[in-house]
Amino acid sequence: MSNTLVSCKRLFQTVQPTVAVRVRFAPSPTGYLHLGGLRTALFNYLLARKTGGVFILRIEDTDRERYVPGSVERLVSVLSWSGLTFDEGPGKNGSHGSYFQSERTDIYKYHVDKLIKEGNAYRCFCTPERLKQIRSFAQKVGKGVAYDRHCLYLSKREIDQNLAQGIPYTVRLKTPDGSVFVKDLIYGNIIFNDKHIDDTILLKSDGYPTYHLANVIDDHLMGITHVLRGEEWLPSTPKHTVLYKALGWNLPEFVHLPLLFNPDRSKLSKRSGEVNVEDFAQRGYLPEALINFVALLGWSSSSGKKDEIFTLDELISEFSLEHIGRSGAIVMREKLDWLNKQHLIRKSESQNGLVELVSLLKPLVYERFGKQFNESDKEYKLGDIYLSKVIVTIKDRIQNIKDIAELCGYFFVHPNYSSPESKAARSSIRDGDLKLVAMIALEQINLLNKTEFEVDTIKSIVNNIILTSQLKQNQVLMILRYIITGIKIGAGVVETMKTIGKDTILQRINKVLELIN
């Protein structure tokens, strides 16, 4: 943007479409979907759903050298996990397919031939070595345009001779003289100086189109009304504008989304750390939380909702292009953790949501503790009922469903009282107090049958221990927590005891008494 003249006028009155749009998410199958790509997909999806329009998934796979096998399948899987269902695309072919650009090469060649015939494009026979020399010279003298248009001035005879000899060539766009005006619904009116717009390559020597050519042709033929993409594509927009006009087509509305930054204000990129969406899923983040988090990267609600917690349906209802900002958005992992906790709590409060959480927790518990379970343990501790109780008990103390398996193992196996964490919890408890509380608890709990081991009864037992031992409430609760969990912190002691169950609690009390004696 440094080489452009930018007006400060924002086009608020024309931003939000009132009719159904056709939008697309067009990733390259070169690896994993990252946060920036997910945000682009999400904003396109939200605009389509808000207006009753169509959301298209198109695979821009013309760069065969960077193509990664299996990446399309992973991409579709991640979008499905995120809840972003597309209307047209791979496996959902509509009337505008194919949705793989590698299968549309004849379409691109037809339009390239038309551009050449009408004088809006030309063949370039320059070798890679010559182009390298041109770029090097341009950099030395401080020129923005790399190509010197040598092949634009070839005669018809020279062109025919080169073609007859089979000399490889690319096809370049003939950029007209003069500045190029671009209208963007986020950044306003932008004037690009023609000195900084190259005769960009449209067709590569291998016959495949560049992004610029395929993108423009496909957007037009697929009826795309709004192009939502990252700000990094803004400098390419004047090239696309020139190409639209050369082909005699109307332009779509352009919406360039603000950049994403790391907390240190460095630009977020695929190489800058944890930005892979699949990794977030594997680390236990809920799709609702990640979508909520990504939506807030550059967009804000008009309703003034202070907690910023949105479901996908709520995002659809509130989404508007008018509330996308210009300034870059900082990706804060702490914000994602907080949102994940809120969505986890929400989900645990509904029966269907709890079922989903159990399905996530079960394989985590089995992976971590399965080898320690006997057959009865497996049936009970991996059962839906017990896992549901665990989630409800601990939900306010965790941020991620993985925390239960990683930090709350006492729900599934006996505490390791010799671990550093357990020794730290034990260090502030006197032997006499520990033995006294354990003995009273053992006696009181043995008087109950399993059906009587409920929250209210356990509270009465705790009160009796306080009265009998003459210890303070916080001392008794700290000792009981150590006995049943082996650590200092966790959910409510009474609720944890109820969830773990009478028999297991008695086993742990006896184990602690053995250690004391």
Side-chain angles (χ1 to χ4, degrees):
M1 298 256 320
S2 60
N3 296 320
T4 62
L5 301 175
V6 185
S7 78
C8 295
K9 181 179 179 182
R10 179 129 180 212
L11 309 174
F12 285 119
Q13 69 275 19
T14 60
V15 167
Q16 184 66 13
T18 56
V19 296
V21 303
R22 285 181 64 85
V23 294
R24 49 70 169 176
F25 175 51
S28 299
T30 56
Y32 297 94
L33 181 64
H34 56 93
L35 283 183
L38 181 62
R39 184 187 63 170
T40 299
L42 173 61
F43 283 13
N44 277 281
Y45 173 88
L46 294 176
L47 185 62
R49 295 294 175 262
K50 179 69 177 283
T51 62
V54 176
F55 174 51
I56 298 171
L57 174 63
R58 189 174 72 219
I59 306 300
E60 299 193 342
D61 60 344
T62 56
D63 189 343
R64 305 309 292 176
E65 292 183 359
R66 298 178 61 221
Y67 175 77
V68 177
S71 56
V72 174
E73 292 76 11
R74 288 200 301 268
L75 173 68
V76 172
S77 175
V78 168
L79 289 178
S80 175
W81 173 83
S82 304
L84 307 184
T85 55
F86 53 91
D87 305 300
E88 298 176 23
K92 293 184 179 180
N93 287 333
S95 58
H96 297 81
S98 166
Y99 297 92
F100 290 86
Q101 288 187 334
S102 60
E103 299 174 0
R104 299 170 63 85
T105 53
D106 289 343
I107 297 173
Y108 308 134
K109 289 178 181 178
Y110 168 80
H111 287 91
V112 164
D113 290 342
K114 184 173 182 289
L115 288 167
I116 293 174
K117 183 177 180 180
E118 295 176 354
N120 293 314
Y122 59 94
R123 296 179 180 88
C124 176
F125 298 92
C126 292
T127 63
E129 291 75 19
R130 184 178 188 276
L131 293 176
K132 184 177 180 181
Q133 291 175 353
I134 295 170
R135 283 193 296 270
S136 177
F137 176 77
Q139 291 172 357
K140 287 180 180 178
V141 299
K143 287 186 177 181
V145 177
Y147 187 59
D148 60 0
R149 286 189 161 183
H150 169 76
C151 290
L152 174 61
Y153 306 109
L154 294 178
S155 66
K156 184 178 183 303
R157 179 184 175 185
E158 290 174 307
I159 294 172
D160 290 342
Q161 286 178 343
N162 289 339
L163 292 174
Q165 294 174 25
I167 297 176
Y169 67 88
T170 60
V171 176
R172 290 182 179 272
L173 175 66
K174 181 184 176 183
T175 304
D177 296 333
S179 300
V180 178
F181 172 84
V182 171
K183 169 189 168 185
D184 183 86
L185 296 185
I186 302 300
Y187 291 92
N189 299 329
I190 309 171
I191 299 174
F192 288 83
N193 191 308
D194 61 345
K195 293 181 180 179
H196 299 281
I197 305 174
D198 200 356
D199 282 4
T200 189
I201 294 176
L202 301 178
L203 197 69
K204 294 177 285 187
S205 59
D206 61 4
Y208 279 100
T210 61
Y211 166 83
H212 306 292
L213 177 71
N215 163 54
V216 167
I217 291 175
D218 287 345
D219 282 351
H220 174 75
L221 296 182
M222 293 182 180
I224 301 302
T225 61
H226 290 69
V227 174
L228 280 69
R229 59 190 179 190
E231 183 190 321
E232 61 270 19
W233 291 109
L234 189 52
S236 297
T237 308
K239 300 177 183 180
H240 302 165
T241 300
V242 170
L243 186 52
Y244 270 106
K245 292 180 178 178
L247 291 165
W249 296 338
N250 293 327
L251 277 72
E253 298 284 3
F254 291 109
V255 182
H256 287 91
L257 310 175
L259 294 174
L260 300 182
F261 293 102
N262 295 306
D264 64 0
R265 299 297 298 181
S266 61
K267 183 182 175 182
L268 189 75
S269 70
K270 294 180 182 180
R271 303 175 184 86
S272 63
E274 301 172 339
V275 296
N276 180 350
V277 175
E278 286 186 46
D279 282 348
F280 285 106
Q282 292 169 2
R283 292 200 297 270
Y285 287 99
L286 301 174
E288 299 93 333
L290 190 61
I291 286 294
N292 191 163
F293 175 67
V294 169
L296 298 175
L297 296 175
W299 172 85
S300 59
S301 168
S302 60
S303 67
K305 192 175 182 182
K306 293 183 179 180
D307 63 10
E308 295 186 310
I309 303 170
F310 296 93
T311 64
L312 188 54
D313 286 340
E314 289 170 338
L315 287 172
I316 293 171
S317 176
E318 297 217 15
F319 185 73
S320 171
L321 296 179
E322 294 153 319
H323 291 89
I324 297 175
R326 291 185 183 183
S327 58
I330 297 178
V331 177
M332 301 291 292
R333 175 70 176 271
E334 297 81 5
K335 180 73 171 285
L336 174 58
D337 288 335
W338 180 82
L339 285 169
N340 198 69
K341 178 183 180 72
Q342 308 313 310
H343 281 279
L344 191 154
I345 292 173
R346 276 191 176 190
K347 192 178 280 288
S348 69
E349 291 171 349
S350 73
Q351 187 58 42
N352 290 338
L354 197 54
V355 169
E356 290 181 36
L357 292 175
V358 167
S359 69
L360 294 174
L361 179 58
K362 187 175 297 186
L364 299 175
V365 173
Y366 181 78
E367 180 182 0
R368 195 169 185 89
F369 304 109
K371 292 181 180 180
Q372 302 178 52
F373 291 162
N374 56 38
E375 287 306 313
S376 61
D377 282 338
K378 286 183 180 179
E379 185 176 353
Y380 179 68
K381 293 181 179 177
L382 293 174
D384 293 352
I385 294 176
Y386 182 69
L387 292 177
S388 296
K389 291 178 180 179
V390 171
I391 292 170
V392 171
T393 301
I394 200 67
K395 60 183 173 63
D396 293 321
R397 303 290 301 187
I398 60 172
Q399 293 182 323
N400 191 303
I401 196 69
K402 272 199 165 185
D403 290 344
I404 294 178
E406 293 177 357
L407 305 177
C408 309
Y410 52 82
F411 282 112
F412 309 102
V413 294
H414 291 314
N416 177 8
Y417 296 106
S418 61
S419 70
E421 295 82 5
S422 192
K423 287 181 178 179
R426 172 77 174 80
S427 63
S428 57
I429 301 173
R430 293 184 300 183
D431 286 352
D433 294 341
L434 176 58
K435 184 173 183 179
L436 179 59
V437 169
M439 291 293 293
I440 299 172
L442 183 66
E443 179 185 358
Q444 296 274 320
I445 294 172
N446 267 321
L447 296 175
L448 304 176
N449 59 45
K450 288 185 179 180
T451 59
E452 294 175 320
F453 199 70
E454 297 292 338
V455 168
D456 289 342
T457 312
I458 298 170
K459 285 182 178 179
S460 297
I461 290 174
V462 172
N463 289 331
N464 287 338
I465 294 173
I466 293 170
L467 291 173
T468 305
S469 67
Q470 295 186 338
L471 293 171
K472 294 180 180 179
Q473 180 177 337
N474 65 329
Q475 290 177 291
V476 171
L477 292 176
M478 179 176 64
I479 293 170
L480 287 174
R481 185 184 299 283
Y482 167 75
I483 293 171
I484 62 177
T485 72
I487 57 178
K488 287 183 176 181
I489 58 175
V493 172
V494 171
E495 291 75 15
T496 301
M497 291 175 68
K498 167 65 174 65
T499 298
I500 291 174
K502 175 189 172 183
D503 290 345
T504 302
I505 296 298
L506 289 175
Q507 290 172 12
R508 294 180 186 181
I509 293 173
N510 283 314
K511 178 64 176 178
V512 168
L513 287 172
E514 287 177 18
L515 293 173
I516 295 173
N517 294 330

